[in-house]
Amino acid sequence: MEILRTVTELRQWSRDSRAKGHLIGLVPTMGALHAGHASLFRAAAASCGAVAVSIFVNPTQFGPNEDYARYPRTFDADCAPAAKEGANVIFAPAVEELYPAGASTFVDVEGLSDRLDGASRPGHFRGVATVVSKLFIAAEPDRAFFGQKDAAQVAVLRRMVGDLRMAVEIVVCPIVREADGLALSSRNMYLSASERARALTLSRAVRQAEALAAAGERRASALISAALQTFAAEPAIRVDYIELVNWATLEPVETAAPGTLFAVAAWVGATRLIDNAILP
Ligand code: AMP
């Protein structure tokens, strides 16, 4: 499996692959790969003849006091599993390759970018939309694969692709969880054993909302207060948000409908975790 470092190389690989008759799949990641990422690689390989996985810790999506500097970077360990699960090439550019000196062009999906994670992480979705645009322009993919785990990110990117009439299909893959329910995340590495146990509150709250909705509870206020009670049992966790929103607009809803997004974010010690469900 080849490792590509420049936009020019990635674009050439994409065009050569297309000339051979392949559909091009792109899976953007920040590395520190786990089984959630691998599920995206497999989905990409199942529907595209040529799959590029990008590994890039994108500085513009981190706030000044966030974990950019200490975000886990495990490139050497990431390559073999990526290849095994379907990546044909890895695109691992230096920061200056995607952000040349003096770069001043950004993609801002107004409105959506200020909701959910965007409310507590100002500038985060601007960074995400900008880097994903750069990756799309470089890789020219037919399909790009993202996890439902980052559901607000999916909404922002779907809107971006629609607004800019980008010729790429966004494919969303289900959340991969540990056996006990914890959603896999590169940031789970930060958790101590006791934090790891407490972190289960997020998936517990999500499962509870799904169960209540399946049993007919549609009121956002009831679903949210049930989740707040679940979190209240773990005072060491600080809730960032618990929201019921329209998945396309990220606007809060009062009544859940099929496809409504129930999303939570919470601080477990110094680690911010997210989880969600699309309600039945
Ligand atoms: P990241 O490396 O955290 O930026 O994630 C790269 C991609 O993997 C994003 O599209 C995430 O939504 C997706 N992803 C992360 N965790 C999971 C998971 N537990 N299940 C499915 N997809 C995931």
Side-chain angles (χ1 to χ4, degrees):
M1 187 201 47
E2 248 186 305
I3 296 169
L4 310 178
R5 300 282 180 185
T6 68
V7 166
T8 305
E9 286 173 316
L10 178 60
R11 186 172 293 135
Q12 196 57 52
W13 167 83
S14 170
R15 291 183 181 180
D16 290 348
S17 303
R18 179 163 288 114
K20 291 177 195 151
H22 296 310
L23 283 179
I24 314 300
L26 173 69
V27 188
T29 81
M30 298 205 298
L33 299 181
H34 51 63
H37 297 114
S39 74
L40 306 186
F41 306 160
R42 285 195 298 274
S47 84
C48 298
V51 174
V53 166
S54 63
I55 296 184
F56 181 67
V57 183
N58 173 36
T60 63
Q61 71 188 69
F62 290 81
N65 299 315
E66 293 185 350
D67 56 342
Y68 175 66
R70 70 182 188 115
Y71 193 85
R73 289 163 172 85
T74 58
F75 184 76
D76 292 338
D78 286 346
C79 289
K84 181 167 161 275
E85 302 292 355
N88 299 114
V89 294
I90 288 183
F91 178 54
V95 171
E96 314 78 65
E97 179 66 11
L98 288 191
Y99 295 98
S104 60
T105 304
F106 292 87
V107 178
D108 217 335
V109 181
E110 292 184 2
L112 270 75
S113 287
D114 300 328
R115 301 190 183 283
L116 298 184
D117 309 281
S120 36
R121 304 183 67 189
H124 171 66
F125 286 129
R126 180 187 200 238
V128 169
T130 299
V131 79
V132 171
S133 298
K134 288 171 186 269
L135 293 170
F136 285 179
I137 289 167
E140 302 176 341
D142 298 285
R143 297 190 180 133
F145 296 78
F146 296 90
Q148 183 200 310
K149 158 94 185 329
D150 295 85
Q153 166 172 287
V154 166
V156 167
L157 295 177
R158 278 178 171 153
R159 176 71 65 83
M160 176 186 87
V161 162
D163 286 355
L164 297 180
R165 299 275 189 260
M166 289 173 159
V168 54
E169 180 191 345
I170 301 274
V171 181
V172 182
C173 301
I175 302 176
V176 176
R177 298 178 179 282
E178 305 276 11
D180 61 6
L182 182 69
L184 293 185
S185 162
S186 304
R187 289 191 170 96
N188 292 349
M189 287 185 195
Y190 297 151
L191 302 172
S192 68
S194 60
E195 289 172 339
R196 167 72 181 70
R198 268 183 232 131
L200 284 176
T201 315
L202 282 91
S203 52
R204 217 175 276 141
V206 165
R207 271 205 309 266
Q208 173 181 248
E210 283 180 307
L212 288 170
E217 181 57 80
R218 297 271 142 208
R219 293 167 302 158
S221 57
L223 294 167
I224 291 170
S225 58
L228 280 170
Q229 272 175 32
T230 297
F231 276 100
E234 277 292 353
I237 298 189
R238 186 160 59 83
V239 172
D240 179 2
Y241 64 70
I242 301 175
E243 290 203 49
L244 220 74
V245 300
N246 176 308
W247 195 12
T249 63
L250 302 184
E251 300 267 7
V253 299
E254 283 182 11
T255 308
T260 297
L261 170 65
F262 175 84
V264 302
W267 288 93
V268 184
T271 305
R272 186 176 174 282
L273 300 176
I274 57 175
D275 202 343
N276 70 80
I278 306 303
L279 293 183

